[in-house]
Amino acid sequence: MSTPRQPSRGSGERRPTRPARPGEQRPRAPRPRPGEQRRPAARRPAPRRPAARPQSRPIRLADPRRRLRLVTIALTLVFTVFAGRLVQLQLLDSDALAAAAGANKYVKMELPAERGSITAADGTVLATTVDAYDIVGDPTLLTPAALRVADGPEQAAALLAPILGQPKEKLAAALHLNPKNPKSQYAPLAFRQTPDVKNRITELRSTLAKQTDTAACRGQRQLLGKPAEQGGRQYLDAACVNPMTSIASTESSRRVYPADGLAANLVGFVNSEGVGTGGLELQYQPELAGQPGRTTYASAGGRMVATAGGSRQDPVPGADLRLTLHPDIQWAAQRAITDQVANAGAEKGYVVVQDVKSGQVLAMATSPGFNPNDLSAAKSDQLGNAALQDAYEPGSTAKLMTMAAVLDTGKATWDTRVTVPNTLQRSDRVFHDDVDHETWYLTLAGVLAKSSNIGTIEAAETLGADQAESNRVLAGYLDRFGIGRPTGLGFPGETRGILAKPEDWKGSQQFTIPFGQGLSVNALQATSVFSTIANGGVRVQPSLLMGTTGPDGRYTPAPAAPTSRVVGEQTAKTLTEMLESVVTDEQGTGTKAAIPGYRVAGKTGTANRVDPKTGKYSGYTASFIGFAPADQPRVTVSCVIQDPVNGHFGGQLCGPVFKQVMEFTLKSLQVPPSGSDAPNLPVDWKP
C-alpha cells in the first residue's frame, strides 16, 4: 500500500495549519463579501541563498612570550633607575639634602624694635620715631624680555626722580641688573621715606596701569612673539608700558625731630640705618634701640606658608628718655647766643644754664647749630656739641678758683690789701693787666672785681711757703672743682680739659694758671665751678637725664647726682659777695650783666685763644659766668664766644647774653626778686 505524496513547500497548496495552543486565538481570515470570490493566497518568494565566499588563509598570532620579554626588560630598566635614585637620596645625599631643605623651607627674619623717644623735662618731644617706607625695585621686571621695552630702568628712573628727589641717572643705575647677581630681585632706591612719597608712587602706578589697559595695548601684547608675517612685534610702544610695576615699598621707620634744631647739638642724630651716631642718640643707643625680635616661618616659592608652623619672638621697644632740659629756656639760650655770635662776627659760641641745687642742666645751646631733620644742609664741624667738646682756656673766670683757695686756706680775707703794680716780673716773663695803669691799691675783692692778673698772681703766691707748694695747693683745689676730670655726663666726644700735674708747671705757666691761662676746660666744667660756689661750696655732679620710661610704661628716675664739698660754706658766701662787686661796682668789669630787682654774682673772662688747627694763640675767647639771685642762688648761666671780630672783652660781648638768658630763666622758673641789697664790698684802699 503506497503512502500518499505530500505536497511540496513551493507548490500553491496550503501548508497544514498548526493546532492552536491552549488559550491562543488565531486571527480569522476575512470573510468574502457576497458575490466576491476568494483570492488564492500570495506565495512567498523563496529565500535566496547567499553566494559562496572565497576561502581566506588562516590568521596566525605572534608569539606572546617575545612580547612579554620586551615588557619585562623595559620595566626592569625603569625600576633600576628609580631604585638608584632612591639610594642616592636616602643614603648618599640624605644629610646635605635635609640641611638644604631645612634652610629653604624655613626663613628667619629679624623684627626691628621701636626706638625710644627723647623728651624735655615737660614732655616736649625732641626725638621720636614715625612710620616710614623703604622704596625698592625689582630689576628682573625691567629687562627687555620682561617689560618688552629696551630702556625699562631709564623709564622707571625718570618717573621716580622727581618723587624721591634723586638724580635719574643714579636711580637707573640701581635698577639695572647686577652683573654679579643677575637674579637679584632687590634694589634699594630710598630709605625711610614719608607716607606721602609712598602714596605718590602707589597713585602713579595705578594711573599708569589704567592708561596701559586699552584695546590698542592689549592688541600689541597679543602680537608679542609672533612671526613678522603675522604682524608680530618684539617691543611695546612706550604708551603701553608701566615700568612702575617693578617698584614697591616696604614698611620701615624714620627718626624725626619735631622741634627741628632745638637742642640738636645735645640730642644728636641717627644714621641712615636708624642707629645713633651723635649726641645722646649715640650715648644711649643701647637703651633707645631696645631688643629686636625674631620670627621663623615656612616658605614655598617665596611666599609664607601659614599652615606650616613657625616661631615668633616679639621685639622689646626701646626706653624713652626724659631730659632735664626746659624747652623754653633752651630756646631763649639758642636765640641769644645765635644773635650775639652773628653780631660779633665770631666763629661760634655756647650758653649753659644749670640748676645750682640739683646740678641739672636746664639748657645747653651752641651756635651755629643744625637741623637733624636735614643733615645734608649742615657742615661736619656743626654736628658736634662745642659746649662739651671744645677745650678752651677760661681766662679770668678761673680766678674764682684761685680766690677760693686763698680764702679757704685762710691766707687772706676779702678785704686783704693788695698792691698791684703796672707790671710784674716772674720767671722769664713780664706780666701786665688788660690795661696800663699806675699802681693800684686794691682789696682782694677789688682784685677780683677789676680782674687783675698781677693781683691774682700775688694772691696765689701766698698759698705755700714756696712756689712749688703754692702750685700743689692750687692744683688740689682745681681738681676738686672738677678741672681736668670728666663732668660725669658721659657725653660722646666730651673733653676733660687739660690740667698738668703741679710738678710739671714750669716757667711762666705756674704764674698763668692762677688767672686762667695754661689750662683748659669745657663750658660745663666752667659753669659747674660757679654753681659750686652758689651751692654753698658743695659741688653737685652735672646731670642731663631726669629719668627713663621702660617698655612696660614704668618711669624710673635717674639716680641722685653725687656731691662733694670743695670749699667751706663761709668761703662760698664771701666769694659770692666778692662776685657781686664785679657786677655792681662801677669799677667792675661785669656791669652789663646787672638785672634790675635781682642780685647777680658773676665774673668776666677775656683770654687768648688757642687755634685748634695750628696750636698757636690766635684771637680771643670772651666769656661771662654768673648766678642769681645772689642772696638765694637758684641758677647759673655761662656764655662763651670764640674768636669774635667786633670786640673781644667778656663783659662787653657775653654780659648782655647772660642778662637776656638769666632774666628769661628767672621768670620761667618764677624765682622771686632779691629781698636785700648787695653788700657792695670796697674794691680799693688808700695808702
Side-chain angles (χ1 to χ4, degrees), residues 413-583:
T413 60
W414 69 266
D415 57 353
T416 296
R417 296 180 174 186
V418 183
T419 301
V420 182
N422 186 43
T423 62
L424 182 67
Q425 177 75 44
R426 288 293 185 270
S427 185
D428 57 350
R429 181 174 173 183
V430 177
F431 291 94
H432 304 265
D433 286 321
D434 60 331
V435 293
D436 286 334
H437 58 81
E438 297 179 352
T439 300
W440 283 341
Y441 300 97
L442 305 176
T443 62
L444 192 62
V447 170
L448 191 62
K450 294 179 70 69
S451 196
S452 171
N453 294 340
I454 294 175
T456 304
I457 294 174
E458 293 176 322
E461 289 177 331
T462 67
L463 291 173
D466 55 24
Q467 190 60 47
E469 184 179 356
S470 296
N471 294 345
R472 287 193 297 271
V473 173
L474 180 58
Y477 276 92
L478 295 177
D479 178 72
R480 290 196 287 275
F481 273 111
I483 307 303
R485 293 191 286 117
T487 61
L489 292 184
F491 193 84
E494 175 188 339
T495 179
R496 61 192 303 165
I498 301 174
L499 177 63
K501 296 179 180 179
E503 55 268 25
D504 295 329
W505 297 3
K506 304 298 182 182
S508 60
Q509 183 186 25
Q510 56 192 331
F511 302 104
T512 61
I513 286 179
F515 62 79
Q517 301 270 193
L519 76 163
S520 65
V521 298
N522 65 45
L524 184 57
Q525 287 175 326
T527 307
S528 178
V529 170
F530 282 73
S531 292
T532 299
I533 299 303
N535 194 37
V538 176
R539 181 180 185 271
V540 182
Q541 180 174 292
S543 60
L544 193 56
L545 182 65
M546 181 176 290
T548 60
T549 300
D552 57 355
R554 182 178 302 175
Y555 176 76
T556 303
T563 62
S564 60
R565 177 161 290 281
V566 179
V567 297
E569 186 175 357
Q570 184 57 46
T571 298
K573 181 179 179 181
T574 301
L575 285 169
T576 298
E577 294 177 348
M578 292 171 64
L579 289 171
E580 286 189 83
S581 297
V582 175
V583 179

Side-chain angles (χ1 to χ4, degrees), residues 137-147 175-177 181-186 246:
D138 184 351
T140 63
L141 298 179
L142 293 172
T143 62
L147 195 60
L175 289 171
H176 275 283
L177 287 178
N181 187 11
K183 295 183 179 180
S184 175
Q185 298 177 310
Y186 177 77
S246 65

